[in-house]
Every structure is written in structure tokens, then in C-alpha cells.
Amino acid sequence: MMMWRAAGGSIRRVISQHQNQQHRFYRPGHGVFGHLPDPPKRVFESQGGLTPENAQRVHLINAFRRYGYLEAQLDPLGLRNVEKVPELNPEIYGLSLDDNVKSGYSLNDLAEQLRLIYCGPTAIEFMHINNWEERQWLSQNFENIIAEELRKEELLRIGNLMLKCENFDRFLATKFPTLKRYGAEGAESMFAFFSELFEGSPEKSVEQIIIGIAHRGRLNLLTQLMEFPTVHMFRKIKGRTEFPESADASGDVLSHLVSSFDYKGAEGNVHVTMLPNPSHLEAVNPVAMGKARARAWSMNKGDYSPEERSARTGDSVLNVLVHGDGAFSGQGVVWESIALSQAPHFRLGGTVHLVTNNQIAFTAESSVGRSSTHCTDIAKAFEYPVIHVNGDHPEEVVKATRLALAYRERFRKDVFINLVCFRRWGHNELDDPTFTSPVMYKEVEARESVPRLFLDRLIEEGITSEEQVKEELQKHTEQLNNELKKVDSTAPIDVSHRGAWEGFKQAPKAIETWDTGVATDLLRFIGAGSVKVPEDFDTHKHLYKMHIDSRLQKMQSGEGIDWATAEAMAFGSILLEGNDVRISGQDVGRGTFCHRHAMMVDQSTDQIHIPLNELVEGQKNQLEVANNLLSEEAILGFEWGFSSENPRRLCVWEAQFGDFFNGAQIIIDTFIASAESKWLTSSGLTMLLPHGFDGAGPEHSSCRMERFLQICDSSEDQTPVDGENVNMRIANPTTSAQYFHLLRKQVVPNYRKPLIVVGPKILLRHPKAASRIDEFAPGTTYRNVISEDVTSAAGKIKKVIFVSGKHWIAVEKARDERGLKDSVAIVRVEMLCPFPVVDLQAVLKKYPGAQEFVWSQEEPRNAGAWSFVRPRFENALGVRLKFAGRRELAWTATAIGEQHTKEAEEVINQTFA
């Protein structure tokens, strides 16, 4: 026996009337929408199978489910040309509108009901999803929720909230007429989304909401829903800093302020965190995603729950991203971020997306701003549903939000709400949009505001009155005026380093030395444990000899400890001290250069084994090895967000090759390099960037260290007593022990700084880069400068050559071959930023007879560390350096073997000229 339900859901609680009244509520018994009972089941039954006639009706229903959104009434301005969709005409299926079935239920009734459900102010796209269960669930629940009615108190709550948001915008316009506030005018229905989101999340057992949002409506959301003190908003508008004088920070623009608070709703409480964001639109998306996943780890929820059988990805933590239509269509990071949504080690169990669709970007209307029908069409590539809503219907936004939360709870996948609205003003309130969009803005100027239209409907329905609206408005305005009066008597509040960051602080203005050594017996234990595999594990034959046996021998002898072994010992010691470790990148499990093997793969079953996670029985802290997709911007943003959530976690991102970071330059500039200064947000993210000139060509040689040095806030004219709290550290270590201490210094101190490691390639296995186990022992630390022991010949040294990185090996070899060991000293600068003035002063005192000082580098003159170190040597140390290196180049390195060899010889000749 076959019925309509077999087509993917039942059409229930359908609408019996259709009148041309767009601004009335869907309420049973009165208003526009009443109810008919479901069509009798016998309408859809047949003897021995589905009849051709009923099969045609199935096609009609599915046509509305697939194409109904194309005829939906979504544009509040009425400018969108809605073309008729042939598939929605019953006659193309050979059916007449007057074709009555035995029950008296005509095809005309069915088509009209379908049109009211799927072509009204709310529409849905879901038939592109391959999973039948999802399609069935969406059809049933969408068809049900369309006819649901909001309670009077819910409607009133939305109306009052939008009224306050509109009043806040108008108050700012009156008191601060030159302010670019990026208000919500025209998109006030977005607050119906946030209100329902906060109210409905606890019912879905959500305890934490992480929000990434751009500037549109941000100030309204902060003050009207997220408990950001309005007086502090006014302080910022008046040009006051948001931080106390004791904070070493500059602050950011008004539209990047943040809040974190506990929302107390009828169904329970939920903690809501809004992340800071730069003006590079959509860049905050992967950051919010990373923080949300990290929060799940801190709570031991979802993928990190010890209850593997009952836990589901996305438990307790909800990520919410709010986009603009222009940026969502245009920014590549959007695709990269969504591509992470179901990837292992990055998945969140579904993000709820709200697109505030102004139908215009800066000045580009949708006709020139994208190549797709809707700005949300990217979602269809990933088989995620899209709910379209007309912004003139806040009550429909509530329903869409409920459906989105329910879908996410059921299927743990992303879901999108396309809020089609408009922008009352230009890109900002001082911009005149009529220059480029005159037709659109004639419609905007001729219409009432969204809150006013909604309140008029409430008044008409008898839910509120004009007097109550005026009273609410007056009360809110008085509150705003009172807050404005408090500006001069209110001091800023330091809200940094709270929650998981309690007890941490900003770094001091000094280069500190921390004991990062570890007991050698423990290191031997960790080293041996890092290659231990289960007895029945089918290990790759090559790894037995070259990796496992080799490492065990090094642990026994304490000699020749290579880079990967030092890293394993650092990771293991950090884990056993009560910190987690996460390393992410393209093929980081094995390592680009096949050196790491932090994870091993069973050659028979593909099962993955991570030895460092089983060092001791019942080990609490874990190493997460996250091999990731070929993305840089989204991945690096994700890892920065991850690192900012909890300081008791070492987060490492390794580039496949050093200069591959350049696809993520926005994240580096706007988050990694500047987050602490702008927002007092700390991060200990470590970036490993393989670097070295070995003939590999322009894209595989340089990590572009000069770019990182350029965006450091280190002073060129500092003196040793000044000290510096730099925005990030940049190191170029030359031994495995140095690398070990670098990693441990990322978690030992009570502050965090991003670390950029100019990583090795040939040094990974080079014997001169290997270390003895005593160099890792207690009392040892990272050495900012490494100089040779020349006590007996110190007075004979006439030339000092300063180098950084693996270039030291070539320079040392050339010096010794020339017989200049007694007259030429080589000094390795292992820490570039903060610049180690005191250490270099101590080294220079060892060579009182030195007359010539050379900076030698394998990089071109317009690259590498030269431009950074030259003024600091001169201003802080009084040393004028000579340059030895490649000439200025438009690229980083040649790919021609003979040319590379010739250039390398010229660099050495210059060094010893």
C-alpha cells in the first residue's frame, strides 16, 4: 500500500485559504492561515501499486519541494523578478486543475497548498541532498513548521527586541551623526534569529555557543542581547580606549568589540561567546570553528568525550557564523571553511549559518556580485540545506531558526538560513547608495522599517498597543541617555585572561630565560615509548629499522638525537606534565620529509596508532595529529582559534613548505601578528615553516622570514635596558635540542606568544644538527645566540661572521677549508625576534680584537633577516655589518642546479672576501 508519505514526507497542517495579505500572522482560527485536515489517505492509495494518476501527483509534490523556492516571495523590496517555473505547472504532468478525485480533493487544492507551503515568505532547498532520510525529515518538518503559530508572548518579545535595536541605531545617529555604526536597519529580523537561537539551544543540550560575525548589526547584538555595557560602547565611540592603562594594547575599531556572557532562558542557560574579527570579511569563520572544536576538547565533549558510544560530534558546543551576502559569495575562505565541516579533526557536528542578505555588497548588487541564483548556493555543493526567509517576516525567521537547530541536532551537519533583507543606508551610514543603486533605494526610502511594520501587525492583532510601544521606546531611550551620562565617570575593565586563561598574563618587557629541561631518564622513557606499537600491529618494514630501532639506539646511547626524536620528547614531556598537544598540516603524521611518523598505519588494516597517546596507563592528555586538506587560510585560521581557547595546550601548524603560508596571509596579519595588541587575545600557536636554499626552486626554498620580521613590533633603536614585549617570536634553530626547548617554552611560562619557527629541511637528519641527551637535561634552555668556544684564541679573532639557520654549516666548512679557524669566528643568531641584544653584547666582548663584522645569509639581499638585523646591530650594538648573500631577486631562489651552485659559491666568497 503506497501513500504520499513515500514521496519523502507528508503534507500536513496545510493552508486552506490564500489572500493577498503579506503582513499578517499564521494563526489558527483567524487571520490568514487556518487548517484543513490531511488529505484522506485513500486519495493516494491504489490497488496493486501506485496508479499513473497518483504518480503524477507525486511528481508535482516533488517538483514544489525541488523548485518551489524559485517562485517564493522572498524579496522585501519586491525588486526580484520571480519567473514562473514550468515544473510547478500541474498541466505539464498531463493533469487538469479541475481533475477531482473521489474524495472531492482536487489537484487545484493540492497545487495551491503546495504553493502556499513552498512559495511563500519562507522557502527551502533540500532536494539536492543525496541522503533520503534527510530529505524525508526536512520535507516533513518544513511542512509542519510552516503552519506553526508563535505564541503572543514570543511575538511581543521579538517586536520589543527589534524596537530597541532600531531605537539604538537612531539614538546613535542623533548623538553621533558622523559615526559609522554599520547598523542593522533593514535587517532587524536577524535579532529574531539570535533570540530564538539563545532560547532554543539549551533545549538541544547546547552549553556553549561560539559566534563569528562581521560588523553589520554587531553593536545592536552586543548591547541589546549580549549584555555588553552600553556605557563602554559610548566610551569607545567618544574615542576612549577599551583597555586599562596597565594593558599593553592599542585596541581596535568600534565594530570589532566582543562579549562573552551567560544567557538565561526559559529552557536553561547557555554561555555565548562572540569572537573578535578583523575587517577582512569571512576571515573569522575558520577561527570560530577552531575555537568551537577546542572548547569541545576542554569540556571533554563530542569527539573528545571518553564516552565513545554515546557521544556525538557537536555535543554541547554550537558554532554559529553570520555572513554578508557579498562576502559569502566572493571570499575563498568560505569554501575552504565549509570544506572542513565534516573532515576528521576539524568537524564540529554542524554549524548554523545566517546570511544577512542585503542584496548588495559594498556597491555591487547581486546581479554583478555573484554568478549564482542565491548567495547561499555554495551550500548545495556540500549537500547542506538552505532555508530562505523574507526579512519582512520576523516570525518566519524564528521558525527557520527552530528548523535549523532541529536539523543540526538530528543530523549534525551544517545548515544555512538566507535572510533576504535590505540595507537602509549605504555600506555605512555616511555613504550615499543612490549613486550606484538608485532604483533599489527608491524602494528603500518609500517603505516603513521592519520593526514598525511588525509592530503595526501586533497592534492590529491586539497583542500590543501604540501606547505600549511608545512607553517601551521612551523607557529604552531614557536608559541610553543615562548610560551616555556615565561615560566620563566609568573606567575601562580588563576582561582578558579569564576562564581557562585565569592565572596567565601578558609577557614582560624582557627576554626571559626559562628552564625547559627535562630529566634524562624520563626523556629516554618518552623516546622509547614514542615508537612502541602493539604486538599485533603490522608495522611498515622500513620503519622497523630506520625509525623504531634507530630511535631506541639513540635513547640507549644518548647521542645523535635527531629533530624528530627531539620533537617526540618535547611532545611527550608536555603531555605528561598535564597539557594537550595538537599538530596540524598537510601530511604531518608522517611529515613532509618522511621524518616524523608520529602516527603509524597498520599495513594490513589501515588502523592508525599514535604511540605518544599510550605512554602511561590511563593517560589523560593526548596528542591530536590532524592531517588536513590542502588549505592554508582556513586551516591556519582554525588553528589560531584552537590555540586561543586554552593556554594549556600546544598547538602546532606545519606548512608543507615554508612559503605555503602565503595563502593565509590574512590570518597572519589580522590574527596571529596583531590579536594581542588589538583585542588582548593571547595565543601560543606555533608555525613550523620548512626553509633552506638547496636548489629546490622559488616555491620550495624560502619561508619568507622577512615578511614575519617586518610585521614584528620590535624597535630598531632599542637599548639593552629597554626590553620588549614583542607581538610574536621568530626563531631559526640549528640543533634538535634548540627545537626541543623552543617547543617547551611555548607551554612552560605563564604567558603565551605566537612562535614562528624557520624550520629545517636538511637539518632534520644532518649529524651537525643532532644533539646529546644532556643538552635536554634540567638546567638547559633555549640559547638565543650560539658562539664558538674560542677562549684560547679570542685575541686573534679579526672577523666575526653572523649567520642564522643552516647556512652556518656551509660557512663553517668554508672557513675551516681556508684555514681561518683561528682568525674568523662564527656566531649563530638563533632568536631573531625579540632581538637578543644582551646575548650579542656578551658574545662581542669575547672578540676584543675583531675589526670586521659580516652578516652572511643564503637568502637574497631583499629577503632573509638582513633588513631586520642591520639597523639593530648598528643602533643597539654599535656594529656596522657588511652583507654577504645573493643579490636582490624578484623571486626567492633559482630552480636551475648550476645557477644555484654558482650563487652558493659566490655567497661564500663574499663572506670571506
Side-chain angles (χ1 to χ4, degrees):
M1 184 179 297
M2 300 188 67
M3 298 177 291
W4 285 112
R5 186 176 296 275
S10 62
I11 300 178
R12 305 185 57 197
R13 307 180 69 183
V14 290
I15 301 159
S16 64
Q17 303 173 35
H18 180 54
Q19 303 171 12
N20 188 22
Q21 301 179 38
Q22 293 186 358
H23 299 309
R24 295 183 60 84
F25 300 111
Y26 307 173
R27 305 177 63 209
H30 59 286
V32 179
F33 289 178
H35 293 292
L36 278 180
D38 287 343
K41 290 184 178 180
R42 65 176 182 273
V43 173
F44 314 111
E45 296 174 3
S46 63
Q47 298 296 325
L50 194 65
T51 66
E53 181 181 75
N54 284 339
Q56 297 293 56
R57 288 182 169 82
V58 170
H59 289 313
L60 179 62
I61 291 174
N62 280 333
F64 271 94
R65 288 171 174 165
R66 183 176 294 276
Y67 303 114
Y69 75 96
L70 294 173
E71 287 193 18
Q73 304 303 307
L74 300 176
D75 184 6
L77 299 179
L79 295 174
R80 180 170 170 263
N81 183 24
V82 179
E83 297 182 0
K84 292 293 182 181
V85 179
E87 288 86 347
L88 302 186
N89 180 2
E91 295 182 2
I92 73 166
Y93 301 102
L95 301 170
S96 169
L97 290 177
D98 297 324
D99 182 18
N100 294 316
V101 294
K102 294 178 181 179
S103 64
Y105 188 78
S106 71
L107 187 65
N108 189 47
D109 293 330
L110 177 61
E112 189 67 11
Q113 290 167 359
L114 289 168
R115 188 167 299 281
L116 289 168
I117 292 171
Y118 287 101
C119 303
T122 305
I124 187 169
E125 290 183 80
F126 68 98
M127 293 294 279
H128 56 276
I129 298 173
N130 288 328
N131 184 278
W132 179 84
E133 182 186 357
E134 287 184 51
R135 294 199 310 273
Q136 182 190 44
W137 187 94
L138 284 165
S139 64
Q140 286 182 324
N141 283 272
F142 180 77
E143 290 160 8
N144 288 342
I145 207 167
I146 276 295
E148 282 188 3
E149 322 304 338
L150 270 61
R151 300 190 306 272
K152 291 182 179 180
E153 56 268 28
E154 292 175 321
L155 296 169
L156 190 58
R157 184 182 73 222
I158 296 169
N160 286 337
L161 178 59
M162 292 198 303
L163 176 67
K164 291 178 181 178
C165 290
E166 180 182 50
N167 191 47
F168 180 74
D169 275 324
R170 291 181 177 178
F171 184 87
L172 293 183
T174 302
K175 300 294 184 179
F176 308 100
T178 60
L179 175 68
K180 296 179 181 179
R181 63 184 185 274
Y182 302 101
E185 292 156 294
E188 289 92 346
S189 287
M190 69 191 299
F191 298 105
F193 165 81
F194 285 114
S195 177
E196 182 59 31
L197 177 76
F198 296 169
E199 282 287 332
S201 291
E203 186 181 352
K204 302 293 189 292
S205 299
V206 173
E207 300 174 37
Q208 299 275 341
I209 298 176
I210 309 295
I211 298 178
I213 181 175
H215 47 277
R216 182 91 197 275
R218 187 184 186 98
L219 305 187
N220 311 68
L221 177 59
L222 284 168
T223 56
Q224 306 310 311
L225 264 177
M226 293 193 64
E227 298 184 2
F228 186 92
T230 310
V231 63
H232 289 291
M233 181 79 69
F234 291 151
R235 286 187 82 260
K236 184 65 178 176
I237 293 173
K238 286 198 165 191
R240 317 286 174 83
T241 178
E242 60 265 45
F243 302 129
E245 292 184 4
S246 58
D248 188 3
S250 60
D252 200 0
V253 299
L254 178 69
S255 54
H256 296 169
L257 294 175
V258 299
S259 177
S260 183
F261 81 114
D262 290 315
Y263 181 87
K264 297 176 175 59
E267 300 296 328
N269 302 338
V270 61
H271 187 77
V272 184
T273 301
M274 178 193 288
L275 297 190
N277 73 291
S279 289
H280 282 274
L281 300 178
E282 307 296 333
V284 75
N285 297 353
V287 174
M289 293 170 67
K291 184 147 189 168
R293 184 169 175 93
R295 183 64 53 85
W297 197 352
S298 295
M299 298 171 63
N300 294 319
K301 297 289 187 178
D303 287 352
Y304 302 101
S305 173
E307 306 294 334
E308 294 183 8
R309 292 187 177 181
S310 59
R312 298 179 65 199
T313 305
D315 282 351
S316 301
V317 182
L318 172 62
N319 185 51
V320 177
L321 297 177
V322 183
H323 316 274
D325 53 319
F328 191 76
S329 300
Q331 291 294 316
V333 71
V334 173
W335 179 279
E336 291 185 30
S337 299
I338 301 175
L340 292 175
S341 60
Q342 295 296 325
H345 308 292
F346 296 90
R347 60 191 183 187
L348 304 176
T351 291
V352 175
H353 301 259
L354 174 70
V355 180
T356 309
N357 186 351
N358 304 311
Q359 307 186 74
I360 187 171
F362 188 81
T363 60
E365 296 185 32
S366 58
S367 59
V368 297
R370 61 176 181 265
S371 300
S372 58
T373 302
H374 286 293
C375 60
T376 49
D377 282 353
I378 186 176
K380 294 193 283 189
F382 296 90
E383 296 187 39
Y384 292 147
V386 180
I387 309 165
H388 304 280
V389 192
N390 186 320
D392 269 355
H393 295 262
E395 72 280 11
E396 294 299 294
V397 177
V398 171
K399 297 177 187 179
T401 308
R402 289 176 179 173
L403 181 63
L405 286 173
Y407 173 83
R408 188 263 181 189
E409 169 66 15
R410 173 70 180 269
F411 296 103
R412 300 301 167 102
K413 294 174 67 175
D414 287 30
V415 57
F416 294 76
I417 298 175
N418 177 25
L419 177 62
V420 186
C421 51
F422 62 93
R423 193 176 65 198
R424 172 67 66 179
W425 312 106
H427 175 67
N428 60 70
E429 288 75 14
L430 307 184
D431 182 40
D432 185 355
T434 61
F435 288 127
T436 51
S437 301
V439 174
M440 174 182 285
Y441 277 87
K442 283 179 183 176
E443 295 295 329
V444 172
E445 291 169 4
R447 58 162 288 147
E448 271 286 8
S449 71
V450 176
R452 186 66 253 182
L453 288 174
F454 189 76
L455 288 166
D456 285 346
R457 285 182 271 160
L458 288 179
I459 294 170
E460 185 180 349
E461 293 286 338
I463 296 174
T464 188
S465 66
E466 189 65 43
E467 291 72 23
Q468 289 174 310
V469 170
K470 289 180 179 178
E471 182 181 349
E472 190 73 26
L473 195 61
Q474 183 180 1
K475 187 191 305 181
H476 186 245
T477 302
E478 289 177 0
Q479 177 191 346
L480 294 176
N481 275 314
N482 290 334
E483 292 294 297
L484 184 58
K485 293 174 183 176
K486 299 177 185 177
V487 167
D488 293 333
S489 60
T490 302
I493 301 173
D494 185 359
V495 295
S496 65
H497 300 106
R498 295 188 177 183
W501 287 82
E502 196 73 39
F504 286 76
K505 63 177 185 178
Q506 285 192 281
K509 292 187 176 181
I511 299 179
E512 294 187 334
T513 299
W514 289 79
D515 182 354
T516 48
V518 177
T520 55
D521 288 344
L522 179 58
L523 291 177
R524 292 179 194 272
F525 170 79
I526 294 171
S530 69
V531 291
K532 185 177 181 180
V533 296
E535 290 184 4
D536 59 347
F537 193 84
D538 187 4
T539 307
H540 195 287
K541 294 179 180 179
H542 179 76
L543 292 183
Y544 268 121
K545 179 179 179 181
M546 304 305 296
H547 181 63
I548 297 176
D549 290 346
S550 174
R551 183 166 295 181
L552 291 175
Q553 291 173 14
K554 291 168 185 174
M555 290 300 97
Q556 289 178 349
S557 67
E559 301 285 342
I561 297 174
D562 62 3
W563 215 270
T565 303
E567 180 184 81
M569 294 193 304
F571 285 176
S573 63
I574 290 169
L575 291 171
L576 295 181
E577 289 171 354
N579 305 280
D580 295 311
V581 179
R582 173 182 167 94
I583 183 168
S584 168
Q586 294 153 15
D587 196 25
V588 292
R590 185 198 72 168
T592 299
F593 306 101
C594 204
H595 69 285
R596 179 172 290 119
H597 299 291
M599 51 171 273
M600 300 186 198
V601 182
D602 188 295
Q603 298 300 294
S604 300
T605 65
D606 268 358
Q607 180 183 355
I608 291 175
H609 174 65
I610 301 176
L612 284 174
N613 285 338
E614 299 181 16
L615 291 173
V616 296
E617 187 176 351
Q619 183 174 318
K620 292 183 178 180
N621 297 94
Q622 297 286 296
L623 164 66
E624 183 172 24
V625 181
N627 286 331
N628 59 247
L629 53 84
L630 287 168
S631 157
E632 280 76 42
E633 184 175 359
I635 294 293
L636 194 56
F638 191 101
E639 299 306 327
W640 186 88
F642 209 105
S643 70
S644 70
E645 196 273 335
N646 194 318
R648 293 173 178 83
R649 186 178 294 139
L650 174 64
C651 295
V652 181
W653 177 75
E654 182 178 63
Q656 195 173 53
F657 286 91
D659 70 345
F660 285 13
F661 77 85
N662 56 22
Q665 193 66 54
I666 288 174
I667 300 297
I668 294 166
D669 290 345
T670 59
F671 288 99
I672 296 172
S674 57
E676 185 177 7
S677 178
K678 292 187 297 187
W679 312 314
L680 275 181
T681 301
S682 295
S683 162
L685 179 63
T686 299
M687 295 176 60
L688 305 181
L689 307 177
H691 174 92
F693 283 57
D694 47 22
E699 279 77 49
H700 298 87
S701 298
S702 174
C703 76
R704 296 280 192 177
M705 73 175 80
E706 63 276 3
R707 294 186 180 175
F708 293 95
L709 293 168
Q710 185 184 36
I711 56 177
C712 281
D713 58 358
S714 172
S715 172
E716 288 188 4
D717 56 0
Q718 65 168 338
T719 58
V721 295
D722 287 337
E724 289 189 298
N725 175 20
V726 294
N727 56 338
M728 56 188 180
R729 297 189 299 143
I730 302 176
N732 197 353
T734 56
T735 72
S736 62
Q738 286 283 84
Y739 177 52
F740 170 89
H741 291 297
L742 266 183
L743 292 176
R744 286 189 49 77
K745 192 175 180 181
Q746 285 299 90
V747 296
V748 171
N750 59 344
Y751 55 83
R752 294 289 179 264
K753 288 286 183 182
L755 169 65
I756 314 301
V757 180
V758 181
K761 292 190 289 183
I762 67 165
L763 293 186
L764 292 172
R765 297 181 177 87
H766 201 290
K768 294 187 75 65
S771 303
R772 304 181 311 276
I773 199 164
D774 61 290
E775 295 177 74
F776 303 83
T780 58
T781 188
Y782 189 79
R783 294 184 288 169
N784 298 315
V785 176
I786 298 178
S787 61
E788 300 169 302
D789 184 7
V790 293
T791 305
S792 59
K796 299 179 182 179
I797 299 296
K798 302 301 180 184
K799 174 186 281 191
V800 180
I801 300 173
F802 294 93
V803 298
S804 187
K806 66 101 171 172
H807 183 53
W808 138 71
I809 296 175
V811 172
E812 183 184 73
K813 179 182 178 182
R815 181 197 63 179
D816 295 350
E817 289 175 347
R818 286 168 167 78
L820 300 175
K821 191 171 183 178
D822 292 336
S823 60
V824 176
I826 299 173
V827 178
R828 287 177 264 167
V829 181
E830 304 270 303
M831 179 64 68
L832 293 167
C833 182
F835 191 63
V837 175
V838 175
D839 299 273
L840 287 169
Q841 279 185 328
V843 167
L844 288 170
K845 289 179 181 178
K846 295 168 61 175
Y847 313 118
Q851 300 172 353
E852 186 178 0
F853 302 93
V854 177
W855 178 266
S856 183
Q857 66 178 41
E858 57 185 355
E859 299 85 7
R861 189 182 184 108
N862 60 334
W866 168 245
S867 296
F868 182 83
V869 300
R870 179 177 63 172
R872 288 164 178 80
F873 266 94
E874 192 167 321
N875 298 333
L877 299 169
V879 173
R880 185 177 292 273
L881 295 172
K882 292 182 180 179
F883 175 78
R886 287 172 168 81
R887 66 174 180 83
E888 294 86 348
L889 293 175
W891 64 97
T892 56
T894 181
I896 302 172
E898 290 183 1
Q899 180 67 23
H900 168 75
T901 302
K902 180 181 178 181
E903 289 176 355
E905 291 174 353
E906 289 177 354
V907 171
I908 294 298
N909 291 335
Q910 291 176 33
T911 302
F912 294 98

